[in-house]
PDB file of all heavy atoms in Angstrom:
ATOM      1  N   ALA Z 201      -2.102 -26.170  -6.941  1.00 45.00           N
ATOM      2  CA  ALA Z 201      -2.274 -24.910  -7.657  1.00 45.00           C
ATOM      3  C   ALA Z 201      -2.264 -23.702  -6.710  1.00 45.00           C
ATOM      4  O   ALA Z 201      -2.047 -22.580  -7.124  1.00 45.00           O
ATOM      5  CB  ALA Z 201      -3.597 -24.931  -8.441  1.00 45.00           C
ATOM      6  N   THR Z 202      -2.527 -23.968  -5.413  1.00 60.00           N
ATOM      7  CA  THR Z 202      -2.591 -22.863  -4.452  1.00 60.00           C
ATOM      8  C   THR Z 202      -1.231 -22.550  -3.849  1.00 60.00           C
ATOM      9  O   THR Z 202      -1.117 -21.589  -3.085  1.00 60.00           O
ATOM     10  CB  THR Z 202      -3.574 -23.214  -3.321  1.00 60.00           C
ATOM     11  OG1 THR Z 202      -3.075 -24.353  -2.587  1.00 60.00           O
ATOM     12  CG2 THR Z 202      -4.949 -23.545  -3.878  1.00 60.00           C
ATOM     13  N   ILE Z 209       7.051 -15.881  -2.021  1.00 71.00           N
ATOM     14  CA  ILE Z 209       7.167 -15.858  -0.558  1.00 71.00           C
ATOM     15  C   ILE Z 209       8.253 -14.887  -0.127  1.00 71.00           C
ATOM     16  O   ILE Z 209       8.084 -14.113   0.828  1.00 71.00           O
ATOM     17  CB  ILE Z 209       7.462 -17.272  -0.021  1.00 71.00           C
ATOM     18  CG1 ILE Z 209       6.273 -18.199  -0.303  1.00 71.00           C
ATOM     19  CG2 ILE Z 209       7.765 -17.233   1.475  1.00 71.00           C
ATOM     20  CD1 ILE Z 209       6.510 -19.633   0.120  1.00 71.00           C
ATOM     21  N   SER Z 213       7.843 -11.452   2.107  1.00 77.00           N
ATOM     22  CA  SER Z 213       8.635 -11.235   3.321  1.00 77.00           C
ATOM     23  C   SER Z 213       9.389  -9.909   3.258  1.00 77.00           C
ATOM     24  O   SER Z 213       9.432  -9.156   4.238  1.00 77.00           O
ATOM     25  CB  SER Z 213       9.626 -12.389   3.517  1.00 77.00           C
ATOM     26  OG  SER Z 213       8.952 -13.615   3.678  1.00 77.00           O
ATOM     27  N   THR Z 241      13.224  20.645  28.231  1.00 93.00           N
ATOM     28  CA  THR Z 241      12.315  20.932  29.344  1.00 93.00           C
ATOM     29  C   THR Z 241      13.034  20.823  30.680  1.00 93.00           C
ATOM     30  O   THR Z 241      12.805  21.635  31.594  1.00 93.00           O
ATOM     31  CB  THR Z 241      11.110  19.965  29.314  1.00 93.00           C
ATOM     32  OG1 THR Z 241      10.460  20.050  28.047  1.00 93.00           O
ATOM     33  CG2 THR Z 241      10.110  20.301  30.408  1.00 93.00           C
ATOM     34  N   VAL Z 254      15.942  31.995  43.987  1.00 90.00           N
ATOM     35  CA  VAL Z 254      16.466  33.359  44.141  1.00 90.00           C
ATOM     36  C   VAL Z 254      15.364  34.317  44.597  1.00 90.00           C
ATOM     37  O   VAL Z 254      15.557  35.145  45.520  1.00 90.00           O
ATOM     38  CB  VAL Z 254      17.098  33.845  42.821  1.00 90.00           C
ATOM     39  CG1 VAL Z 254      17.426  35.342  42.898  1.00 90.00           C
ATOM     40  CG2 VAL Z 254      18.345  33.042  42.515  1.00 90.00           C
ATOM     41  N   THR Z 272       8.137  55.238  57.881  1.00 67.00           N
ATOM     42  CA  THR Z 272       6.926  54.763  57.176  1.00 67.00           C
ATOM     43  C   THR Z 272       7.137  54.708  55.671  1.00 67.00           C
ATOM     44  O   THR Z 272       6.712  53.751  54.995  1.00 67.00           O
ATOM     45  CB  THR Z 272       5.737  55.681  57.487  1.00 67.00           C
ATOM     46  OG1 THR Z 272       5.528  55.727  58.909  1.00 67.00           O
ATOM     47  CG2 THR Z 272       4.480  55.209  56.802  1.00 67.00           C
ATOM     48  N   ILE Z 290       5.368  34.107  42.449  1.00 89.00           N
ATOM     49  CA  ILE Z 290       4.166  33.340  42.052  1.00 89.00           C
ATOM     50  C   ILE Z 290       4.242  32.950  40.577  1.00 89.00           C
ATOM     51  O   ILE Z 290       3.955  31.810  40.195  1.00 89.00           O
ATOM     52  CB  ILE Z 290       2.896  34.165  42.332  1.00 89.00           C
ATOM     53  CG1 ILE Z 290       2.701  34.343  43.844  1.00 89.00           C
ATOM     54  CG2 ILE Z 290       1.678  33.502  41.704  1.00 89.00           C
ATOM     55  CD1 ILE Z 290       1.579  35.306  44.211  1.00 89.00           C
ATOM     56  N   SER Z 298       4.193  24.437  35.446  1.00 94.00           N
ATOM     57  CA  SER Z 298       3.857  24.182  34.040  1.00 94.00           C
ATOM     58  C   SER Z 298       4.941  23.321  33.377  1.00 94.00           C
ATOM     59  O   SER Z 298       4.638  22.408  32.592  1.00 94.00           O
ATOM     60  CB  SER Z 298       3.694  25.507  33.304  1.00 94.00           C
ATOM     61  OG  SER Z 298       3.456  25.295  31.923  1.00 94.00           O
ATOM     62  N   ASN Z 313       5.492   5.778  23.211  1.00 93.00           N
ATOM     63  CA  ASN Z 313       6.195   5.558  21.946  1.00 93.00           C
ATOM     64  C   ASN Z 313       7.025   4.273  21.988  1.00 93.00           C
ATOM     65  O   ASN Z 313       7.058   3.502  21.017  1.00 93.00           O
ATOM     66  CB  ASN Z 313       7.101   6.749  21.652  1.00 93.00           C
ATOM     67  CG  ASN Z 313       7.739   6.677  20.279  1.00 93.00           C
ATOM     68  OD1 ASN Z 313       7.078   6.849  19.260  1.00 93.00           O
ATOM     69  ND2 ASN Z 313       9.050   6.421  20.233  1.00 93.00           N
ATOM     70  N   THR Z 371       4.865 -65.154 -25.288  1.00 64.00           N
ATOM     71  CA  THR Z 371       5.630 -65.329 -26.526  1.00 64.00           C
ATOM     72  C   THR Z 371       6.248 -66.727 -26.583  1.00 64.00           C
ATOM     73  O   THR Z 371       6.252 -67.395 -27.627  1.00 64.00           O
ATOM     74  CB  THR Z 371       6.732 -64.270 -26.624  1.00 64.00           C
ATOM     75  OG1 THR Z 371       6.127 -62.973 -26.588  1.00 64.00           O
ATOM     76  CG2 THR Z 371       7.513 -64.413 -27.916  1.00 64.00           C
ATOM     77  N   ALA Z 374       3.423 -69.176 -27.291  1.00 59.00           N
ATOM     78  CA  ALA Z 374       3.003 -69.106 -28.687  1.00 59.00           C
ATOM     79  C   ALA Z 374       4.046 -69.743 -29.604  1.00 59.00           C
ATOM     80  O   ALA Z 374       3.727 -70.470 -30.533  1.00 59.00           O
ATOM     81  CB  ALA Z 374       2.774 -67.644 -29.074  1.00 59.00           C
TER      82      ALA Z 374
END
Side-chain angles (χ1 to χ4, degrees):
T202 64
I209 295 177
S213 298
T241 304
V254 170
T272 303
I290 293 172
S298 176
N313 187 71
T371 301

